Amino acid sequence: MHKSDRLFQLVNLLKGRRLAITAKQLAERFEVSERTIYRDIESLQNSGVPISGEAGIGYIIHDHPLPPMMFSLEELTALLLGSKMVSAWTDPTLSSHAKAAMEKIEAVLPSQLKQLSEQSPYLVASFNHGAQQQAFSELLRDAINAHYCVELQYQDANEAHSQRIIEPLGMVYWGGKWTLVAYCQLRNDYREFRLDRMLHLSATTTAFATCGNKNLEHYVALVRAKYASQTTP
């Protein structure tokens, strides 16, 4: 369990108790050392969580709203809207992480801010990407993070088919469609591939490395320079 997840669960556990609980009991619950619990309690107290108690006696949270993590309403709106977009427009794994993040944010909001967030005027439509595109998205995210090549069968806008080995660098969402930015070994250059035009995708065991002239930031810089030159009078 990551520390952030443990801290969140620790707060929820303390909030749900009327009596103090010892560090030893907490350590057994989370399968960590008592020293780790002491550090976690100190971290939460330093961040403003109203935990009282001490080592050997036990800990409890005072019965009043927790601080809203220093979010303004506008910041909270932006975070929740972004989480809704990820939840609606990506693959099931990333979507579940976005929903979990929203639940964590909402769990520590004072009632007033929570009510305002529930009245948000922003709605996010869920596009039907299809199970195959969602599976491609998850595979590509893994390949991007782990830096390994994938084998792609693709159909372009003219319905021409091709098969190639590509080095996935990043994905871009254009509104309704996801596009993969990759370095194509067949063309020895950057290429873009829409996920809805992919026919088949499989992972390989071949790793690749990025460098100064082969990475997502370099691709974006080239695109910006291209469009800047086209708009210059």
Side-chain angles (χ1 to χ4, degrees):
M1 182 184 298
H2 293 293
K3 180 179 179 180
S4 58
D5 293 330
R6 188 175 64 250
L7 291 178
F8 175 76
Q9 292 188 27
L10 182 57
V11 168
N12 279 343
L13 189 151
L14 292 174
K15 283 175 61 181
R17 294 183 60 87
R18 300 180 64 181
L19 300 175
I21 183 171
T22 66
K24 181 179 180 181
Q25 291 172 307
L26 291 170
E28 292 173 351
R29 175 68 176 269
F30 291 102
E31 298 181 348
V32 296
S33 67
E34 291 183 50
R35 186 180 296 275
T36 296
I37 294 297
Y38 295 146
R39 288 197 295 262
D40 288 349
I41 293 293
E42 183 178 7
S43 295
L44 290 170
Q45 290 173 329
N46 290 339
S47 66
V49 179
I51 298 176
S52 62
E54 58 184 72
I57 297 177
Y59 300 97
I60 193 169
I61 286 183
H62 295 291
D63 187 21
H64 61 76
L66 294 176
M69 297 184 291
M70 304 303 291
F71 292 148
S72 67
L73 177 59
E74 291 75 15
E75 291 168 340
L76 178 63
T77 299
L79 284 172
L80 294 178
L81 180 59
S83 295
K84 289 178 182 178
M85 289 177 175
V86 172
S87 179
W89 299 342
T90 60
D91 56 78
T93 299
L94 203 57
S95 175
S96 66
H97 290 318
K99 291 176 181 177
M102 284 193 291
E103 291 173 357
K104 289 180 179 180
I105 292 173
E106 292 171 346
V108 296
L109 291 178
S111 57
Q112 182 181 7
L113 264 184
K114 187 173 183 179
Q115 182 178 1
L116 289 172
S117 71
E118 291 172 349
Q119 298 172 350
S120 171
Y122 299 104
L123 300 177
V124 179
S126 179
F127 295 102
N128 182 18
H129 296 299
Q132 180 168 274
Q133 291 180 51
Q134 291 178 346
F136 289 164
S137 173
E138 191 162 1
L139 189 154
L140 288 169
R141 285 196 299 105
D142 289 341
I144 291 167
N145 291 332
H147 286 77
Y148 61 76
C149 300
V150 296
E151 186 173 355
L152 170 67
Q153 293 180 18
Y154 192 72
Q155 176 179 280
D156 64 19
N158 298 318
E159 299 187 353
H161 289 208
S162 64
Q163 184 168 344
R164 59 189 81 192
I165 302 295
I166 59 175
E167 303 171 14
L169 302 173
M171 291 191 288
V172 181
Y173 187 70
W174 299 104
K177 304 294 181 185
W178 278 98
T179 297
L180 171 72
V181 176
Y183 191 85
C184 177
Q185 294 186 353
L186 178 66
R187 305 301 182 190
N188 290 319
D189 201 356
Y190 294 116
R191 288 292 185 272
E192 302 87 26
F193 304 96
R194 276 178 38 174
L195 267 66
D196 61 318
R197 291 178 179 164
M198 293 180 178
L199 304 175
H200 182 73
L201 192 68
S202 59
T204 74
T205 57
T206 304
F208 71 89
T210 58
C211 58
N213 59 356
K214 188 177 68 174
N215 59 65
L216 186 61
E217 292 75 17
H218 181 249
Y219 163 84
V220 171
L222 291 177
V223 172
R224 286 177 174 170
K226 176 181 177 182
Y227 281 100
S229 63
Q230 291 176 351
T231 57
T232 300

